[in-house]
């Protein structure tokens, strides 16, 4: 609470917020290992914490450390985390209305791509077209439309998530329901076979 950044930390999403949608908080359900990236990432984080505990120095709780890690993963860009800038949402390329970068004095600046209407939401670039749908979903807990993503690298996104493989338990968690929405959107399409057929080195589940 004494940190200069305390007011900023106070408005960031809490663990309870992330538990409603974010893949980092999926519990009690095993995804196919090829798409279960958060298990790998959090295992590495747990190893780091274990080694730090061995030094006897003060250490955050696991939930505190996990939350901080998810903050970093979901809010950083090429230049790291920039408070307030990291609160902007994104959209498909055609709907982006901001440019960002540094001026000659090293100041970070935002500039409108066009005239903006009063009350219009600002959308910034999340590099969606360089992410497959699952890559975007793993990082942020949401996707854009298929045409906004890199579908060439999406061949393995649906391993374990196709209709004949992915069945929800009787009482699915909110995060698992979010996975189900992803699976319905990208893994149960009637044209999905045609999408894969056009991909080099595509692998079907």
């Amino acid at each position: 609470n004494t940190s200069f950044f305390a007011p900023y930390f106070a408005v960031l999403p809490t663990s309870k917020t992330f538990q409603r949608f974010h893949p980092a908080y999926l519990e009690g359900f095993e995804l196919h290992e090829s798409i279960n990236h958060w298990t790998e990432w959090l295992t590495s984080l747990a190893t780091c914490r274990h080694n730090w505990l061995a030094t006897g120095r003060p250490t955050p709780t696991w939930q505190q450390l996990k939350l901080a890690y998810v903050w970093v993963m979901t809010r950083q860009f090429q230049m790291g985390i920039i408070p307030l800038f990291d609160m902007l949402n994104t959209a498909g390329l055609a709907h982006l209305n901001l440019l960002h970068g540094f001026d000659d004095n090293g100041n970070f600046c935002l500039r409108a791509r066009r005239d903006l209407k009063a009350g219009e939401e600002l959308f910034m670039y999340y590099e969606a077209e360089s992410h497959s749908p699952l890559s975007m979903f793993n990082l942020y807990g949401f996707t854009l439309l298929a045409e906004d993503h890199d579908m060439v690298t999406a061949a393995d996104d649906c391993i374990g998530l196709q209709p004949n493989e992915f069945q929800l338990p009787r009482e699915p968690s909110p995060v698992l329901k979010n996975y189900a929405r992803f699976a319905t959107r990208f893994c149960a399409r009637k044209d999905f076979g045609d999408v894969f057929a056009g991909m080099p080195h595509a692998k079907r589940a």
Side-chain angles (χ1 to χ4, degrees), residues 80-154:
I81 295 179
I82 299 178
L84 300 183
F85 170 66
D86 65 338
M87 296 182 181
L88 295 171
N89 287 324
T90 192
L93 285 175
H95 302 286
L96 300 180
N97 52 22
L98 289 178
L99 296 170
H100 64 271
F102 292 90
D103 65 17
D104 294 338
N105 297 317
N107 299 309
F108 182 78
C109 300
L110 289 175
R111 182 165 59 89
R113 290 173 176 259
R114 54 172 174 75
D115 292 340
L116 300 173
K117 299 177 182 179
E120 183 177 354
E121 184 171 3
L122 303 178
F123 293 116
M124 61 162 290
Y125 182 51
Y126 277 31
E127 299 184 340
E129 81 282 3
S130 67
H131 291 295
S132 74
L134 185 64
S135 174
M136 188 85 170
F137 181 81
N138 272 326
L139 279 176
Y140 303 114
F142 67 88
T143 66
L144 302 179
L145 299 175
E147 55 264 31
D148 296 313
H149 293 294
D150 182 359
M151 296 304 292
V152 174
T153 64

Side-chain angles (χ1 to χ4, degrees), residues 138-200:
N138 272 326
L139 279 176
Y140 303 114
F142 67 88
T143 66
L144 302 179
L145 299 175
E147 55 264 31
D148 296 313
H149 293 294
D150 182 359
M151 296 304 292
V152 174
T153 64
D156 293 333
D157 277 11
C158 290
I159 294 178
L161 293 179
Q162 296 197 50
N164 62 328
E165 303 168 315
F166 184 64
Q167 300 295 325
L168 288 176
R170 181 168 297 180
E171 296 182 0
S173 68
V175 176
L176 193 54
K177 289 179 180 178
N178 201 20
Y179 267 100
R181 285 189 288 271
F182 174 89
T184 299
R185 189 174 191 181
F186 290 100
C187 305
R189 293 166 37 174
K190 292 181 179 179
D191 63 339
F192 202 70
D194 295 332
V195 171
F196 272 117
M199 294 179 180

